[in-house]
Amino acid sequence: GKMLLVVLLVLLLGPAGCPRTEPLSGSSQEPLFRGADRYDFAIVIPAGAVECFWQFAHQSGNFFFSYEVQRATGIGNSRNILATASDPSGFQLGISQDARGQINFLTKETGFYQLCLDNQQNHFGFMHVYLNFGVYYEGFDVENKQPEERKELNNTLEAIEVSIRKLQLHIFHMWRFYNFARMRKGSDSYLLESNYNYVNWWSMAQSCVIVLSGVLQLYFLKRLFNVQTSTRQKC
């Protein structure tokens, strides 16, 4: 019973306990269990850790992967992170090592493409990273291709269909630009909050130093006058 449960967990989580965006179905005779073609979410990567994801894509698709480190902790607060993308055969298709980056490529084969974020250079702090990745196809109808024996549409309907596909593509790219803006907004928000806390703490520290220096000055001045008064009385 316990051994069967462990095997099921390994199959569901995949290598190194990393999640797949589209896991395989239970039966080999059934088609792949389709997940979403596009994802956008934030993830916290612990210090010295590597997080990987698998995105399923058909051949001749446009794969996109963008990220931005919105917050980093630890010594130096470096926001650089190593991002890589590999094809189903394990061949590395792109690499980026910066606070933000993009990796785009055409999918030459059908299968699971691996995306990894490496935070191993930061041994003392975590990173909060916003991700936006997925795949899109011309017409967005890869799995619903019309049979060849289908009746030919007239020119008017064909023109409408082409216009709708172009509109879908424009909407999709607007969605991508919107996510870029969300990434930058989140990063700026964390930076603004960090600077606000930094200014507040330094203001409090400087206020305490000023008050303490004033108290010490009064104390030493009072002690100096007390010493002079006692000396005159002895004379």
Side-chain angles (χ1 to χ4, degrees):
K2 293 184 178 179
M3 183 61 68
L4 179 60
L5 179 60
V6 171
V7 172
L8 289 175
L9 287 175
V10 171
L11 290 176
L12 288 175
L13 293 179
C18 298
R20 288 177 180 266
T21 57
E22 296 182 359
L24 293 173
S25 59
S27 175
S28 59
Q29 297 178 353
E30 297 178 0
L32 288 171
F33 174 77
R34 291 290 297 161
D37 284 332
R38 301 183 294 275
Y39 292 90
D40 62 296
F41 57 89
I43 183 174
V44 174
I45 304 178
V50 179
E51 293 287 344
C52 294
F53 304 88
W54 280 263
Q55 170 67 43
F56 182 83
H58 287 282
Q59 188 179 10
S60 301
N62 299 283
F63 203 105
F64 63 93
F65 173 39
S66 57
Y67 70 92
E68 177 157 356
V69 179
Q70 297 183 324
R71 183 184 180 189
T73 61
I75 299 176
N77 292 333
S78 175
R79 296 174 60 237
N80 291 342
I81 193 169
L82 177 63
T84 58
S86 305
D87 64 8
S89 301
F91 180 76
Q92 191 175 92
L93 298 174
I95 184 172
S96 176
Q97 189 170 10
D98 205 341
R100 67 177 62 92
Q102 296 185 52
I103 301 176
N104 303 315
F105 54 88
L106 296 176
T107 57
K108 297 182 179 180
E109 57 181 311
T110 300
F112 287 96
Y113 288 77
Q114 186 186 48
L115 309 172
C116 290
L117 294 171
D118 188 342
N119 190 29
Q120 290 186 344
Q121 291 186 352
N122 187 359
H123 299 285
F124 303 100
F126 67 86
M127 285 192 178
H128 185 273
V129 186
Y130 192 96
L131 302 175
N132 178 24
F133 63 89
V135 59
Y136 65 94
Y137 311 90
E138 291 187 12
F140 298 90
D141 58 353
V142 172
E143 295 207 19
N144 297 315
K145 292 182 178 180
Q146 301 294 338
E148 295 181 359
E149 60 273 12
R150 184 183 67 141
K151 294 181 179 180
E152 292 293 334
L153 295 176
N154 58 41
N155 293 335
T156 303
L157 292 180
E158 286 182 353
I160 293 175
E161 184 179 6
V162 171
S163 299
I164 291 176
R165 289 183 178 182
K166 289 182 178 180
L167 180 60
Q168 286 179 326
L169 189 61
H170 289 319
I171 292 175
F172 167 71
H173 286 299
M174 288 175 62
W175 174 81
R176 288 192 63 191
F177 286 123
Y178 169 71
N179 276 304
F180 291 152
R182 287 178 62 188
M183 288 184 186
R184 189 59 58 87
K185 179 182 177 181
S187 178
D188 292 343
S189 176
Y190 280 114
L191 180 61
L192 181 62
E193 182 180 358
S194 176
N195 291 339
Y196 176 77
N197 293 331
Y198 176 80
V199 171
N200 281 344
W201 278 107
W202 268 108
S203 298
M204 292 178 60
Q206 290 177 352
S207 299
C208 293
V209 169
I210 293 173
V211 172
L212 181 61
S213 63
V215 171
L216 291 176
Q217 287 178 0
L218 290 175
Y219 172 76
F220 284 115
L221 286 174
K222 183 178 180 181
R223 185 176 180 182
L224 179 63
F225 282 111
N226 287 338
V227 171
Q228 290 180 352
T229 303
S230 60
T231 302
R232 289 177 181 178
Q233 290 177 353
K234 288 182 180 180
C235 294

